[in-house]
Amino acid sequence: MLVENYRKILSSIPSHVRLIAVSKTHSPEKILELYHAGHRLFGENKVQELISKYQVLPKDIQWHMIGHLQSNKVKYIAPFIAMIHSVDSVKLLDVIEKEARKVNRTIPCLLEVHIAQEESKYGFLPHEVSAFFEQRQHLNYKCIEFAGLMGMATYTENSEQVRSEFSNLATLFKSIREKYFTANSNFNTLSMGMSNDYMIAIEEGSNMIRVGSLIFGERNYANNS
Ligand SMILES: *Cc1c(COP(=O)(O)O)cnc(C)c1O
């Protein structure tokens, strides 16, 4: 079932779009099912859960941190994390830089941009992201690879609103890439789109989608591993 869902999604997206299977709340056994089907990119939103899964699962899995990350927990994931999607402050960037340096790594990071109309979501405002690169602040970091931007649209039935939020983020992404990363192809990831809206996100330019419930089914927080 799970592998079927996965294959269905894979066959419905263009080959340049990478699929992050969001496995939060689901067991290592379920992750292994997808692993044996050939999948390697998994996303988690809690450090504790991420680490316990990392410890028991094959080491060639690429783990993506997609949830709000507290500074004091960066050190636990710095040695192995493949990408952090949820960088939402300069202070967090400073800590990631420090912890990446300690373990002699360069960590690919996406700046999370607040594009939704909802209050509760984390992220930089679009003008803060523009200012960050305009002031060349990214050049202060040697152990962070600025890999692109991430955003979440408003949770709504109104697909035109979702589309316009994704479109705004795509415009910001392209303008930053063109202004500051012409000589650096690493700034190439636009992470947007989840189970409910990934088709719209791809139409608007996403090349990395984060899909959970459509693959694994509804999350059961009572069974949280
Ligand atoms: C949970 C989560 C997802 C996946 O959500 P689904 O609706 O289950 O696909 C994607 N991105 C983030 C940041 C999440 O926390």
Side-chain angles (χ1 to χ4, degrees):
M1 192 59 192
L2 190 161
V3 170
E4 234 170 81
N5 297 340
Y6 163 71
R7 295 224 166 97
K8 207 179 290 173
I9 295 167
L10 262 196
S11 67
S12 73
I13 62 176
S15 59
H16 74 276
V17 175
R18 280 179 292 166
L19 169 62
I20 308 299
V22 176
S23 48
K24 64 193 189 197
T25 77
H26 298 292
S27 66
E29 289 72 26
K30 284 192 173 178
I31 295 174
L32 270 182
E33 280 185 52
L34 269 199
Y35 179 88
H36 291 309
H39 198 67
R40 294 294 181 272
L41 309 180
F42 291 89
E44 290 283 338
N45 70 337
K46 295 212 166 71
V47 167
Q48 190 54 56
E49 189 175 341
L50 176 53
I51 287 170
S52 46
K53 287 173 177 171
Y54 168 75
Q55 285 169 344
V56 300
L57 286 164
K59 291 298 175 280
D60 62 338
I61 287 180
Q62 295 171 38
W63 293 104
H64 287 239
M65 177 62 190
I66 62 170
H68 179 63
L69 177 58
Q70 288 170 275
S71 300
N72 61 354
K73 298 199 171 152
V74 173
K75 58 176 176 286
Y76 302 115
I77 62 171
F80 68 89
I81 199 77
M83 183 177 277
I84 301 174
H85 291 227
S86 42
V87 177
D88 56 6
S89 72
V90 171
K91 181 189 163 217
L92 183 58
L93 279 173
D94 292 344
V95 175
I96 295 170
E97 168 79 6
K98 194 181 82 186
E99 297 298 336
R101 185 183 299 276
K102 277 191 203 163
V103 294
N104 202 16
R105 289 192 70 212
T106 300
I107 300 181
C109 288
L110 306 178
L111 297 188
E112 179 174 354
V113 188
H114 181 114
I115 54 171
Q117 301 212 323
E118 290 152 5
E119 281 288 326
S120 65
K121 301 215 164 129
Y122 294 100
F124 290 94
L125 294 172
H127 74 85
E128 294 171 329
V129 173
S130 301
F132 177 85
F133 291 105
E134 177 71 40
Q135 295 157 8
R136 302 293 197 274
Q137 289 188 60
H138 57 292
L139 300 178
N140 298 335
Y141 301 91
K142 304 294 173 235
C143 301
I144 289 176
E145 178 185 306
F146 288 88
L149 303 179
M150 181 272 237
M152 275 181 277
T154 304
Y155 188 78
T156 171
E157 297 283 299
N158 182 346
S159 59
E160 283 319 302
Q161 181 180 348
V162 169
R163 184 178 298 283
S164 96
E165 291 170 359
F166 284 150
S167 165
N168 289 340
L169 183 58
T171 301
L172 180 65
F173 170 71
K174 285 179 221 152
S175 102
I176 289 167
R177 193 182 50 189
E178 280 157 24
K179 282 189 202 152
Y180 311 111
F181 291 94
T182 44
N184 175 352
S185 59
N186 292 333
F187 192 91
N188 58 19
T189 301
L190 180 55
S191 168
M192 59 184 198
M194 312 178 16
S195 290
N196 288 328
D197 55 19
Y198 74 91
M199 284 299 198
I200 302 175
I202 292 171
E203 284 165 15
E204 295 305 323
S206 168
N207 58 21
M208 185 174 276
I209 59 175
R210 310 175 310 271
V211 177
S213 38
L214 214 53
I215 298 174
F216 292 97
E218 290 304 309
R219 283 181 281 280
N220 183 349
Y221 286 96
N223 270 349
N224 204 340
S225 52

